[in-house]
Amino acid sequence: MNAGSADVAELSKLMRRGARALNEQFDEDTHLNEVIPKPWGYEYRAYVDEFFDFWALHIDAPHGTSMHVHARKLTYLICLGGQGVTSGLAKEVPVREGTILRIAPGAFHGTRNIGDEPLELIEVEVPRNKFDLMRLKDDYNRAGTAYEAKSLEEPEHSMQKVAAFPNAHMRRQTPDGKFRFELRTGMDIFCRRRSEDIFYVPLCVSGVVYLDVEVLTGQEGDKRRPQTDKQYLCISKNF
């Protein structure tokens, strides 16, 4: 999903009305490491470092996110389970387990749950900046507002420091226990693909610089090979 002239026009209107794309203060905005309640469900960080930011979204039926834009960061929307639809200003894309959707900087988008079960998503955001957000339309009267300032502490599933990666933090699993997160080398994935694995996301600076992150799947039909010298965040079902 790429930005076009309609996205630029709507972004310009938002800015003229006073909307701002703010900047996250890494050492101060610590509430972002807790669960963020939303009118459509909740979201929380799964992994974060200096460049990458992974957010897990739990969208209850029949709710949906706002129509919003990230003016400066690239987003990959990957689906762990459920059924939904992601809408831009000009088109809609169906979303179900295994879907990978690239959303370019400046492209307005919103996602709605159209199934009966919760829609479980991961947003891979690069470069890291949770406050790079402007809301155009919203079912919950949040149009034009900034990102939420309130959070819920989950001490049993809190973010933990990653010893091998300076300034990196991650969760070991989702609060509901359905999915788990692991750091694995490309060599390990190449030699040991597992049936419970859903996605592998490379944590390499080249993906940030070139705005191109090659998200691999655990599906049998995905014949792409991981780069053996890279580190990946592996997202798996927790059997």
Side-chain angles (χ1 to χ4, degrees), residues 39-199:
W40 40 259
Y42 57 88
E43 69 177 11
Y44 50 90
R45 267 182 168 146
Y47 174 90
V48 66
D49 60 25
E50 296 285 5
F51 297 107
F52 283 86
D53 205 2
F54 287 68
W55 283 82
L57 282 65
H58 176 102
I59 304 176
D60 292 321
H63 299 282
T65 71
S66 62
M67 176 66 70
H68 61 280
V69 66
H70 310 299
R72 296 171 294 194
K73 68 185 176 185
L74 169 69
T75 301
Y76 283 85
L77 193 67
I78 58 182
C79 183
L80 307 183
Q83 294 185 342
V85 59
T86 295
S87 303
L89 297 182
K91 67 175 183 179
E92 295 184 345
V93 179
V95 173
R96 61 181 183 274
E97 182 177 336
T99 294
I100 302 173
L101 177 60
R102 183 183 187 275
I103 303 173
F108 281 86
H109 59 281
T111 302
R112 180 169 296 278
N113 186 339
I114 61 171
D116 298 323
E117 302 294 328
L119 179 60
E120 307 283 0
L121 307 170
I122 296 286
E123 281 188 344
V124 183
E125 303 175 355
V126 290
R128 169 188 177 182
N129 184 4
K130 195 57 182 175
F131 295 152
D132 179 18
L133 167 73
M134 296 184 189
R135 294 182 172 115
L136 178 63
K137 300 176 183 178
D138 184 67
D139 294 338
Y140 315 101
N141 300 314
R142 299 178 302 160
T145 64
Y147 189 76
E148 283 77 8
K150 295 182 178 180
S151 62
L152 299 173
E153 188 175 0
E154 289 280 349
E156 293 184 4
H157 305 288
S158 61
M159 301 283 287
Q160 303 293 326
K161 290 184 178 180
V162 180
F165 292 84
N167 304 314
H169 293 75
M170 68 178 293
R171 296 178 192 272
R172 297 301 176 186
Q173 64 179 12
T174 61
D176 60 13
K178 291 182 179 179
F179 305 97
R180 69 176 185 268
F181 309 105
E182 300 172 272
L183 289 174
R184 298 175 61 190
T185 64
M187 178 62 75
D188 180 40
I189 295 170
F190 177 77
C191 297
R192 194 170 58 97
R193 289 210 179 193
R194 306 172 306 197
S195 61
E196 65 266 31
D197 295 344
I198 308 175
F199 294 106

Side-chain angles (χ1 to χ4, degrees), residues 193 216-225:
R193 289 210 179 193
L216 307 180
T217 76
Q219 300 173 2
E220 292 185 3
D222 191 343
K223 301 301 182 182
R224 294 173 297 169
R225 295 184 176 182

